[in-house]
Structure formats: structure tokens, C-alpha cells
Amino acid sequence: MRLIAVDMDGTLVGPNGLVSERNLAAIKAAEQAGMTVVVATGRRHPYAMRVLRGLGLREEDALISSNGAVTRTIGAKLLDRTLLPLETARWLCGHVQEFRNALVVTFDKVTDDGEDVRGALVVEHLAELNTSITKWVAANKPYIECVVPIEDALEGEAPISMLLCGTIERMRRAEARLLEHPGVSAVGVSPLRKDEVRRLENIGLARGGITPQERAAGAEAALHRTEYPERDLSMVDILPAGCSKGSALLRLAEKRGVKAEEILAIGDNWNDVSMLEVAGHAVLMGNAPEDLKALAGDRGWRMGRRHYEDGVAEVIERMLGGGLG
């Protein structure tokens, strides 16, 4: 093993929002053994650094953020970035009309010191989001700008992503609405979602539309879902087509001369599926959603302990001891 890719929330980070001493010690032991450790998260770079700063991670280590849209070093040097075209972002705003009160548009405005500026996050309405993700809103309030209509924020710089957030049921409806458009594809969807996607695609095909393969090839945007059933919370990230943790990880690995089979990926949620699929060794955390655990069984992924049981450390310790094969 030469590279370890690890998700943050629900994986490396415990329920208290911190990285445990044991998890941190395991990461540093892996680095001392000559391995590269990459954090891959749905958080944008500055929000991830709220947790990672001060842990003593190497400045040159990579942080894949925004579900693969941006890769920077821990020291904030930009390595890779894919933007959502302005025209695509504009029609997406209209396409999700029913869900605009749950919509966030994210811009990459990271400064040289790794911090954000106001306007990095743009919303049209804040009340619904404040109900769904209260702590996130409070933590990011200095960077949130309200723009009505939200399309007015899409006149200059292109965003890196868009986000819908709400209850699981509402976000399933939002996904279905998004997937009615042939320019949207799904990444890391559950078996239930695959059936729904197939139904929508069959409808399109019957009407002279496109095949599933053509949909993926011709898509302008891709959906990435993160679910927390115990909180009845779902987040649907809308990224540029082709963006995912998995694709960003492979590009980074290629630049560093690492083969896919030399990668160990550890994650807990649907937005980690692309990363788990491309890695030679994949471990799903014990606190993952039950339907994702079923998928892990089908894919032959190993099951780890829960995030509050230092599951990341347990996997790395076992690997360093030669126990992963």
C-alpha cells in the first residue's frame, strides 16, 4: 500500500467533530512507514481545515474537497480544480425551483492562507437551511451571502458546486427532479436510487431520449448524495460532470506515480462510493447506512468499525501489521 484516502465526517472525524488521538497517531504511523495519506471530503477546503488545522499534518499532503471538485495541499496550494459552467449553474437553479429554499451555491474563493471570504457561499433563502443544518449555518455565517434571485450571483466567476439540503424524503424528491433532465447523472446512488434512475431513463428512452450510457457521457452535472438516517438529513451535491472523490483521487495518484491497486480507501457514505470503487482496497465504516452496507457486501468491500470506535485507526493498524492482504 502506498496511498491511503480517508473521508472526514463519519469516518476520520468522530461524533464530537474532532479527530481522535488514536486516529491521528495511526495516520502519522502510516506516513512514517512511507505512505501518503490523503483526506477526501465533501466539505470545501476551508471548512475541512477547521478540523485538520493544528493536527501536525504535512503541508504538502493533499486535501480533496467539495467531493472532488477541488484538490489543494494542506498548505492551501491549488493542485486541481473543476468549475461548474455558469450556463449549467443557471439552468440548474431554474430546474430545482421547488427546492430553491434549500439551495447553496459554492465558489472557490480560498485565500493564500487557506481561509474563505464572504460570498464563498450564496443562498437565496436561509431559514430552511438554518433548520436543517443549524451548526453548519452558524459556523459558516461570515461567508454566506444572500442574493435574490440567486442567478444574480452567477454573472461572473463560475462556482465549484451547488448543494441541496433537507430531510431524506425531500432530497430523494429533489434528486428525482434533477434526474428528469438529461444533463444530470448520478454518482454513488443506492440500489433504490438506481431503480428510480433507470425508470426515469427508460421514460426518456421511450420518448426518443438517451440511453444510460449516453446520459453519463453527455451529462453537464453529477449528483453526489450524503445521508444521515439517524438525523433524517440528506445533502445532495451537484458537481461538474466527471467530478467525484474517485476521479480526483485517481488523478492525484497518477501524478504521484501510484497505481490504483496501491490505494486503500476508507469511507462511510454514498459520496465515498466512487473512491471506494477505484481503490485496490476498500473499507466501509460500521456506521454507514444499511443500504450502503448491502452494496459493500456485493462489491466485496471490507467492513470496519464505527467512527466512534476509531475505525480508521483500526484499519490502518491492521494494514501496517500486514492484516489487510
Side-chain angles (χ1 to χ4, degrees), residues 71-311:
T71 302
R72 278 188 165 83
T73 65
I74 293 293
K77 178 183 177 182
L78 182 63
L79 301 177
D80 193 11
R81 177 173 61 192
T82 306
L83 300 176
L84 188 65
L86 284 169
E87 185 176 331
T88 300
R90 290 190 194 105
W91 67 250
L92 280 166
C93 288
H95 189 57
V96 296
Q97 183 66 36
E98 176 189 348
F99 307 96
R100 285 169 74 110
N101 64 346
L103 180 65
V104 181
V105 180
T106 303
F107 295 87
D108 189 34
K109 295 180 178 291
V110 175
T111 56
D112 291 341
D113 61 359
E115 290 294 341
D116 255 339
V117 299
R118 183 171 177 80
L121 302 166
V122 176
V123 303
E124 195 171 69
H125 307 282
L126 200 53
E128 179 72 20
L129 290 163
N130 201 24
T131 300
S132 301
I133 45 175
T134 307
K135 291 183 179 179
W136 181 90
V137 170
N140 289 283
K141 196 170 183 178
Y143 318 114
I144 298 173
E145 186 174 357
C146 291
V147 178
V148 182
I150 202 166
E151 287 89 345
D152 285 355
L154 299 169
E155 296 298 331
E157 180 182 347
I160 52 174
S161 67
M162 301 168 76
L163 167 71
L164 289 167
C165 184
T167 65
I168 290 175
E169 186 276 332
R170 189 177 191 222
M171 290 301 100
R172 292 287 178 101
R173 287 192 288 111
E175 281 185 90
R177 171 60 180 149
L178 282 160
L179 288 166
E180 287 174 1
H181 196 290
V184 180
S185 65
V187 176
V189 295
S190 70
L192 174 61
R193 287 294 317 135
K194 285 182 178 177
D195 291 341
E196 293 170 356
V197 173
R198 191 175 298 113
R199 176 180 61 81
L200 290 168
E201 288 171 333
N202 287 339
I203 290 172
L205 187 60
R207 294 175 180 171
I210 60 176
T211 66
Q213 292 78 17
E214 289 170 333
R215 169 187 283 268
E220 298 176 44
L223 306 185
H224 301 253
R225 183 212 305 166
T226 309
E227 280 188 356
Y228 299 99
E230 70 281 1
R231 297 163 59 189
D232 190 20
L233 175 64
S234 178
M235 291 172 283
V236 179
D237 281 283
I238 310 169
L239 272 70
C243 273
S244 69
K245 289 186 180 183
S247 61
L249 179 60
L250 286 181
R251 288 196 301 272
L252 180 67
E254 183 179 9
K255 289 177 182 177
R256 301 196 173 185
V258 177
K259 298 177 181 178
E261 56 265 31
E262 298 174 311
I263 299 174
L264 165 65
I266 311 171
D268 79 302
N269 224 301
W270 290 103
N271 64 331
D272 297 316
V273 168
S274 64
M275 179 173 75
L276 295 168
E277 285 180 329
V278 302
H281 304 266
V283 177
L284 183 69
M285 299 290 286
N287 49 282
E290 291 302 317
D291 49 355
L292 182 51
K293 289 180 182 179
L295 179 65
D298 293 339
R299 301 286 173 86
W301 299 339
R302 291 178 172 86
M303 290 300 305
R305 294 179 181 173
R306 297 174 181 270
H307 62 325
Y308 57 77
E309 298 173 319
D310 292 333

Side-chain angles (χ1 to χ4, degrees), residues 1-8 11-12 27 36-41 62 64 245-246 248-250 252 262-267 272 275-276 278-279 281-283 312 315-316 319:
M1 220 77 67
R2 295 181 58 197
L3 189 154
I4 301 171
V6 57
D7 169 56
M8 279 188 67
T11 303
L12 179 63
I27 286 175
T36 297
V37 178
V38 176
V39 175
T41 179
I64 296 172
K245 289 186 180 183
L249 179 60
L250 286 181
L252 180 67
E262 298 174 311
I263 299 174
L264 165 65
I266 311 171
D272 297 316
M275 179 173 75
L276 295 168
V278 302
H281 304 266
V283 177
V312 168
V315 171
I316 293 176
M319 178 203 64

